Each structure stands twice: as structure tokens, then as C-alpha cells.
Amino acid sequence: MTTPYTPPTVWTWDSSNGGEFAHINRPVAGATHEKTLPVGKHPLQLYSLATPNGVKVTIMLEELLALGHSGAEYDAWLIRIGEGDQFSSGFVDVNPNSKIPALADNSTDQPIRVFESGSILLYLAEKFGALLPTDPAQKTEVMNWLFWQMGSAPYLGGGFGHFYAYAPEKLEYPINRFSMETKRQLDVLDRQLADRPYIAGDDYSIADIAIWPWYGALVRGDLYNAAEFLSVSDYKNVQRWANRIAERPAVQRGRRVNRVWGDESEQLAERHGADDFNPA
């Protein structure tokens, strides 16, 4: 049992409070340094890293290109969040919240900035008329699950993932609390996928693209090294769905973009064209 913590009357920031990301976490927003973001030749400029939230967008772009939407060509620039790239003046201009991914659409008369991964998925789906149903009932079901992911993943990432994998010490209470919630969420998905191939029904959509990099990666053993701990083999329907999506060529390409860890064959620090996946 750890020593009980009594909060002070007024919280103050201790910059040395430990944890893997303590050196970049701070209680204020805004830029820490001046730096202009690079701009490539394509209509869409993505500034990201291959975290689950970043992977959502690169999968989406690769899926759009696979469907023949040439206007979805993009440059993907690496943002090293461990080094504080997200606090540059250029990045803050695109996303004042200093979180990846961030997108600039330069195909319009006035460039449009899009931030928050769910907003980017919805923006691209509507821009290209793809991976989002037009029927009101079906579209609403996709949106239900898109927003489910937005609200649920912080419990998995900032909750379970932080205390299980990144906190300076393992504490029983928060790990138990967020493990319970993560398993409840997996059960929600398992029940939803019991009688349908994709999250929102018969068709692959932005709901699947949003959910797979978090929960698909978790049940495939690619997130937090926690598959055995969470008994992910219990969620047969989620595993079936996750493995089906993992077989999609656009997903395989998308998960490589802005990845700078793991097997070298799965890394692609920046992406500026389709040839980057198979260099000469």
C-alpha cells in the first residue's frame, strides 16, 4: 500500500514529477520555440507521428487513394513529440492544442486547418464522399461509433496505458480502475461485432478506421504489451474484426507512415508519394 496522498489547497506544477513524458508535459499551452512547418507539393499536408491517433489519419488517406481519390495525395511530416516538435510556433498555428495529428488542406482558396483525429476523419470523408454513408440512419450509426471512440480511448490510453506502461511506479488502484474500464469497452465492441463484419454494419467506414488503431492494436498484442494481462483472447469477435482490417493493404501502408520505431521494414519516417513505400 502506498503512502496516502493529501492534495494541497492549491495545486502547483512540479516539472520533475516523473513518468516517461514528464519532460514535455506542462500545464500551459502555446509555443515554446519558433519554427516554421515544412510544406510539400501535395494538396494535403499532414504533421503527425504513428501513435494510434496518428495512424487513423494515414490509414484514412491511404484508403482514399486506394479508392481512386487522387486529391487525397499527401505529404506526411514527422513530428517527434518526445522532442517537443508539437510546441513549435508552426505546429501551434495548425493545432493550438499541440497534439498530433494536424492537417493543412491547401487545395482550397484559403488553407483550412483541421485538428483532432476524429475531426480529420470526418473532414476527409465529407470532402471526398467516401467511407461515410449518406443514408441518415446509417451515417448516424457511424457517427455514434466515431464519437464513442473519441470518448472511450482516453480511458485506454491516458488511463490504462499511462498507469500500466508509462507511470514512474505501478499503482494497484489506477491500474485496476482502468483495466476494468478497458475490458468493459472491449466487451462493448465484442457484443457489437457479434453479428456484423464491421463496427457500424456491413460496410467498412471511418468508425472502423478510428477504432482499429487503438482497440485492434490492443487485441493483436501491439499496444502496451498488455494482451495477456487483459485476456484479450476472450474477445473473439473483436479479434476477428481486427485481423480482417489488418489484412487491408491501405491499412498496412498507413500504419507505417511516420513510424520511427520497431522493425525497420515497418518504418517510414516521412511519406511524400506512393513510391516511398517501395524505394528503389
Side-chain angles (χ1 to χ4, degrees):
M1 189 74 173
T2 59
T3 302
Y5 169 65
T6 302
T9 303
V10 177
W11 181 85
T12 56
W13 178 36
D14 177 4
S15 61
S16 61
N17 63 357
E20 185 166 336
F21 302 106
H23 66 292
I24 59 170
N25 290 334
R26 58 198 182 108
V28 295
T32 60
H33 59 284
E34 293 293 322
K35 185 177 181 180
T36 302
L37 289 177
V39 178
K41 64 181 180 179
H42 295 306
L44 300 175
Q45 299 295 302
L46 178 67
Y47 305 96
S48 191
L49 183 71
T51 65
N53 285 334
V55 167
K56 295 176 197 174
V57 177
T58 49
I59 287 175
M60 179 67 175
L61 290 165
E62 292 298 328
E63 292 283 12
L64 289 170
L65 291 170
L67 290 170
H69 296 285
S70 59
E73 268 295 352
Y74 69 105
D75 292 280
W77 303 95
L78 180 65
I79 300 296
R80 295 182 183 271
I81 60 175
E83 298 176 13
D85 291 351
Q86 69 275 31
F87 299 117
S88 73
S89 57
F91 192 90
V92 171
D93 284 344
V94 181
N95 183 358
N97 194 39
S98 291
K99 302 290 185 181
I100 63 94
L103 180 75
D105 184 354
N106 296 329
S107 70
T108 56
D109 291 339
Q110 294 294 323
I112 296 173
R113 72 178 187 183
V114 197
F115 59 89
E116 293 298 322
S117 58
S119 179
I120 296 173
L121 293 183
L122 182 57
Y123 176 83
L124 293 172
E126 292 184 335
K127 179 180 178 71
F128 294 103
L131 299 166
L132 181 64
T134 55
D135 173 78
Q138 294 175 1
K139 179 179 180 180
T140 299
E141 184 67 2
V142 170
M143 297 299 289
N144 289 340
W145 288 100
L146 177 65
F147 282 91
W148 176 88
Q149 190 278 317
M150 299 300 128
S152 296
Y155 289 96
L156 171 54
F160 173 77
H162 175 77
F163 287 105
Y164 184 78
Y166 301 131
E169 60 179 315
K170 285 185 165 46
L171 302 174
E172 182 178 3
Y173 176 79
I175 290 175
N176 283 345
R177 169 67 181 87
F178 290 112
S179 296
M180 177 178 65
E181 176 59 15
T182 297
K183 288 180 69 65
R184 189 194 68 82
Q185 292 173 0
L186 286 170
D187 193 43
V188 169
L189 291 175
D190 206 59
R191 292 168 187 265
Q192 176 67 10
L193 288 163
D195 58 358
R196 52 183 60 80
Y198 297 108
I199 293 293
D202 292 333
D203 298 318
Y204 179 67
S205 72
I206 59 173
D208 301 283
I209 294 172
I211 294 169
W212 185 84
W214 282 104
Y215 297 89
L218 184 66
V219 300
R220 284 171 54 83
D222 297 330
L223 196 62
Y224 306 132
N225 194 28
E228 182 178 9
F229 179 75
L230 293 173
S231 302
V232 299
S233 60
D234 293 346
Y235 306 101
K236 304 298 186 185
N237 299 319
V238 182
Q239 289 202 325
R240 169 182 47 78
W241 163 84
N243 291 332
R244 170 182 289 185
I245 291 177
E247 294 173 356
R248 298 178 68 91
V251 171
Q252 294 172 9
R253 291 192 299 273
R255 70 180 301 274
R256 289 177 57 191
V257 178
N258 297 143
R259 182 175 298 273
V260 289
W261 60 86
D263 192 302
E264 286 190 11
S265 66
E266 296 187 352
Q267 296 183 31
L268 186 62
E270 293 185 359
R271 186 270 190 207
H272 302 290
D275 291 344
D276 290 343
F277 291 105
N278 298 293

XYZ file of all heavy atoms in Angstrom, residues 227-267:
344
model
N -1.591 -7.680 -23.786
C -2.579 -8.627 -24.288
C -2.882 -9.735 -23.277
O -4.046 -10.062 -23.010
C -2.101 -9.229 -25.609
N -1.841 -10.323 -22.688
C -2.065 -11.390 -21.713
C -2.716 -10.844 -20.448
O -3.652 -11.447 -19.902
C -0.741 -12.065 -21.377
C -0.888 -13.225 -20.392
C 0.427 -13.917 -20.095
O 1.494 -13.410 -20.510
O 0.398 -14.974 -19.425
N -2.245 -9.680 -19.989
C -2.770 -9.094 -18.769
C -4.271 -8.847 -18.878
O -5.028 -9.075 -17.925
C -2.032 -7.789 -18.460
C -2.515 -7.077 -17.226
C -2.194 -7.543 -15.959
C -3.285 -5.921 -17.335
C -2.642 -6.880 -14.829
C -3.733 -5.258 -16.201
C -3.411 -5.736 -14.942
N -4.726 -8.392 -20.040
C -6.139 -8.067 -20.238
C -6.943 -9.237 -20.814
O -8.132 -9.083 -21.093
C -6.268 -6.856 -21.160
C -5.753 -5.532 -20.589
C -5.779 -4.449 -21.656
C -6.567 -5.097 -19.373
N -6.318 -10.389 -20.980
C -7.002 -11.586 -21.515
C -7.745 -11.261 -22.812
O -8.920 -11.585 -22.984
C -7.985 -12.157 -20.478
O -7.322 -12.483 -19.275
N -7.036 -10.632 -23.754
C -7.703 -10.190 -24.980
C -8.214 -11.356 -25.825
O -9.082 -11.165 -26.679
C -6.771 -9.286 -25.816
C -6.384 -8.038 -25.051
C -5.536 -10.048 -26.282
N -7.703 -12.552 -25.593
C -8.192 -13.713 -26.348
C -9.663 -13.998 -26.065
O -10.307 -14.746 -26.810
C -7.351 -14.946 -26.034
O -7.405 -15.253 -24.646
N -10.188 -13.415 -24.996
C -11.612 -13.607 -24.662
C -12.531 -12.903 -25.655
O -13.715 -13.265 -25.756
C -11.918 -13.070 -23.261
C -11.243 -13.857 -22.150
O -10.755 -14.976 -22.438
O -11.192 -13.347 -21.019
N -12.012 -11.940 -26.390
C -12.862 -11.084 -27.233
C -12.733 -11.557 -28.680
O -12.085 -10.925 -29.512
C -12.476 -9.614 -27.051
C -12.502 -9.219 -25.585
C -11.322 -9.139 -24.842
C -13.702 -8.990 -24.927
C -11.344 -8.815 -23.501
C -13.737 -8.667 -23.574
C -12.553 -8.585 -22.865
O -12.577 -8.271 -21.521
N -13.373 -12.687 -28.971
C -13.206 -13.360 -30.255
C -13.697 -12.501 -31.417
O -13.084 -12.501 -32.488
C -13.968 -14.690 -30.257
C -13.587 -15.642 -29.132
C -12.128 -16.069 -29.205
C -11.812 -17.133 -28.157
N -10.374 -17.474 -28.119
N -14.794 -11.818 -31.226
C -15.346 -11.019 -32.320
C -14.467 -9.814 -32.625
O -14.278 -9.452 -33.790
C -16.767 -10.567 -31.979
C -17.701 -11.731 -31.769
O -17.659 -12.716 -32.503
N -18.539 -11.637 -30.750
N -13.907 -9.213 -31.588
C -13.004 -8.087 -31.802
C -11.737 -8.568 -32.505
O -11.221 -7.892 -33.418
C -12.653 -7.393 -30.477
C -11.744 -6.189 -30.731
C -13.908 -6.929 -29.751
N -11.244 -9.716 -32.139
C -10.046 -10.243 -32.785
C -10.297 -10.547 -34.266
O -9.452 -10.245 -35.122
C -9.565 -11.486 -32.056
C -8.979 -11.181 -30.687
C -8.041 -12.275 -30.208
O -8.253 -13.444 -30.479
N -7.002 -11.887 -29.497
N -11.445 -11.154 -34.556
C -11.781 -11.440 -35.954
C -11.811 -10.152 -36.772
O -11.233 -10.075 -37.868
C -13.138 -12.152 -36.027
C -13.716 -12.258 -37.430
C -15.084 -12.929 -37.422
N -15.982 -12.409 -36.407
C -16.653 -11.257 -36.510
N -16.484 -10.483 -37.577
N -17.477 -10.880 -35.551
N -12.471 -9.141 -36.242
C -12.565 -7.837 -36.916
C -11.195 -7.197 -37.062
O -10.844 -6.689 -38.134
C -13.515 -6.963 -36.095
C -13.455 -5.496 -36.360
C -14.107 -4.818 -37.348
C -12.738 -4.522 -35.597
N -13.829 -3.472 -37.251
C -12.994 -3.268 -36.187
C -11.909 -4.591 -34.470
C -12.440 -2.091 -35.687
C -11.361 -3.430 -33.975
C -11.629 -2.199 -34.573
N -10.405 -7.224 -35.993
C -9.091 -6.591 -36.024
C -8.180 -7.248 -37.054
O -7.455 -6.562 -37.788
C -8.447 -6.653 -34.640
N -8.225 -8.563 -37.140
C -7.377 -9.274 -38.089
C -7.835 -9.036 -39.529
O -7.004 -8.939 -40.440
C -7.359 -10.765 -37.775
C -6.619 -11.068 -36.480
O -5.714 -10.337 -36.085
N -7.006 -12.132 -35.799
N -9.135 -8.933 -39.734
C -9.647 -8.649 -41.082
C -9.147 -7.289 -41.560
O -8.686 -7.149 -42.703
C -11.176 -8.680 -41.080
C -11.793 -8.164 -42.381
C -13.303 -8.161 -42.334
N -13.833 -9.521 -42.373
C -15.135 -9.814 -42.441
N -16.024 -8.836 -42.440
N -15.537 -11.053 -42.470
N -9.213 -6.295 -40.708
C -8.786 -4.957 -41.100
C -7.273 -4.913 -41.307
O -6.774 -4.237 -42.212
C -9.256 -3.925 -40.067
C -10.781 -3.799 -40.144
C -8.587 -2.569 -40.275
C -11.399 -2.867 -39.147
N -6.541 -5.640 -40.487
C -5.084 -5.661 -40.611
C -4.625 -6.194 -41.956
O -3.495 -5.915 -42.390
C -4.474 -6.488 -39.486
N -5.464 -6.960 -42.643
C -5.109 -7.516 -43.940
C -5.265 -6.515 -45.084
O -4.790 -6.762 -46.201
C -5.967 -8.751 -44.227
C -5.688 -9.912 -43.280
C -6.663 -11.060 -43.474
O -7.596 -10.903 -44.302
O -6.497 -12.090 -42.793
N -5.905 -5.376 -44.845
C -6.137 -4.397 -45.904
C -4.812 -3.734 -46.291
O -4.090 -3.221 -45.429
C -7.145 -3.340 -45.454
C -8.525 -3.892 -45.126
C -9.462 -2.790 -44.646
N -9.773 -1.857 -45.714
C -10.806 -1.961 -46.550
N -11.628 -3.000 -46.446
N -11.021 -1.052 -47.478
N -4.479 -3.705 -47.578
C -3.217 -3.083 -47.995
C -3.087 -1.623 -47.568
O -1.993 -1.195 -47.166
C -3.251 -3.222 -49.520
C -4.096 -4.431 -49.765
C -5.152 -4.379 -48.707
N -4.176 -0.865 -47.624
C -4.101 0.543 -47.226
C -3.806 0.676 -45.739
O -3.110 1.607 -45.319
C -5.405 1.261 -47.567
N -4.315 -0.241 -44.939
C -4.034 -0.234 -43.507
C -2.561 -0.563 -43.272
O -1.886 0.070 -42.447
C -4.953 -1.226 -42.767
C -4.529 -1.396 -41.314
C -6.404 -0.744 -42.844
N -2.060 -1.534 -43.994
C -0.654 -1.907 -43.844
C 0.272 -0.756 -44.225
O 1.304 -0.541 -43.584
C -0.366 -3.146 -44.691
C -1.097 -4.382 -44.186
C -0.977 -5.576 -45.115
O -0.197 -5.553 -46.076
N -1.754 -6.607 -44.867
N -0.111 0.001 -45.257
C 0.689 1.174 -45.626
C 0.533 2.276 -44.582
O 1.517 2.877 -44.136
C 0.283 1.695 -47.002
C 0.651 0.774 -48.150
C 0.485 1.475 -49.483
N -0.886 1.913 -49.732
C -1.825 1.164 -50.291
N -1.567 -0.084 -50.643
N -3.045 1.646 -50.497
N -0.697 2.544 -44.210
C -0.966 3.659 -43.306
C -0.282 3.535 -41.961
O 0.180 4.533 -41.402
N -0.199 2.324 -41.440
C 0.408 2.158 -40.112
C 1.922 2.344 -40.135
O 2.544 2.515 -39.097
C 0.021 0.819 -39.488
C 0.624 -0.391 -40.134
C 0.174 -1.669 -39.430
N 0.533 -1.673 -38.027
C 1.701 -2.086 -37.560
N 2.641 -2.498 -38.409
N 1.946 -2.070 -36.261
N 2.527 2.322 -41.325
C 3.969 2.537 -41.437
C 4.345 4.021 -41.435
O 5.467 4.373 -41.057
C 4.491 1.902 -42.735
C 4.522 0.392 -42.746
C 4.991 -0.124 -44.102
N 6.314 0.410 -44.470
C 6.858 0.301 -45.679
N 6.196 -0.324 -46.644
N 8.051 0.802 -45.927
N 3.431 4.860 -41.886
C 3.772 6.270 -42.098
C 4.043 6.976 -40.769
O 3.281 6.825 -39.807
C 2.644 6.982 -42.862
C 2.981 8.467 -43.046
C 2.412 6.323 -44.217
N 5.128 7.739 -40.736
C 5.570 8.472 -39.538
C 5.931 7.549 -38.381
O 5.921 7.968 -37.221
C 4.520 9.489 -39.080
C 4.247 10.582 -40.088
O 3.115 11.022 -40.236
N 5.277 11.038 -40.804
N 6.259 6.293 -38.698
C 6.709 5.343 -37.672
C 8.232 5.324 -37.663
O 8.859 5.141 -38.716
C 6.163 3.945 -37.945
C 6.541 2.899 -36.883
C 5.866 1.564 -37.172
N 4.424 1.699 -37.113
C 3.695 1.583 -36.005
N 4.290 1.309 -34.857
N 2.399 1.724 -36.044
N 8.825 5.494 -36.495
C 10.288 5.538 -36.378
C 10.769 4.601 -35.272
O 11.803 4.828 -34.665
C 10.781 6.987 -36.130
C 10.613 7.831 -37.374
C 10.059 7.623 -34.940
N 10.038 3.538 -35.038
C 10.433 2.527 -34.055
C 9.989 1.167 -34.573
O 9.232 1.048 -35.518
C 9.797 2.806 -32.685
C 8.298 2.807 -32.712
C 7.461 1.733 -32.580
C 7.447 3.941 -32.913
N 6.146 2.125 -32.677
C 6.113 3.478 -32.877
C 7.680 5.306 -33.105
C 5.019 4.332 -33.044
C 6.588 6.155 -33.273
C 5.281 5.669 -33.234
N 10.487 0.117 -33.930
C 10.134 -1.242 -34.330
C 10.962 -1.723 -35.507
O 12.018 -1.180 -35.824
N 10.469 -2.762 -36.164
C 11.158 -3.347 -37.301
C 11.353 -2.295 -38.399
O 10.422 -1.580 -38.753
C 10.323 -4.516 -37.838
C 11.101 -5.370 -38.829
O 11.563 -4.819 -39.853
O 11.243 -6.580 -38.598
N 12.543 -2.232 -38.945
C 12.843 -1.227 -39.967
C 11.941 -1.356 -41.189
O 11.635 -0.358 -41.852
C 14.311 -1.309 -40.390
C 15.273 -0.755 -39.349
C 16.688 -0.627 -39.896
O 16.875 -0.776 -41.127
O 17.602 -0.390 -39.084
N 11.521 -2.556 -41.495
C 10.660 -2.769 -42.664
C 9.282 -2.149 -42.481
O 8.537 -1.984 -43.458
C 10.511 -4.269 -42.940
O 9.804 -4.920 -41.892
N 8.928 -1.819 -41.251
C 7.623 -1.218 -40.969
C 7.720 0.281 -40.702
O 6.740 0.909 -40.323
C 6.973 -1.921 -39.778
C 6.659 -3.392 -40.049
C 5.874 -4.026 -38.917
O 5.709 -3.374 -37.863
O 5.423 -5.164 -39.099
N 8.894 0.840 -40.896
C 9.095 2.266 -40.638
C 9.092 3.068 -41.932
O 9.643 2.641 -42.942
C 10.434 2.496 -39.926
C 10.538 1.879 -38.554
C 11.861 2.208 -37.892
O 12.440 3.266 -38.125
N 12.353 1.310 -37.064
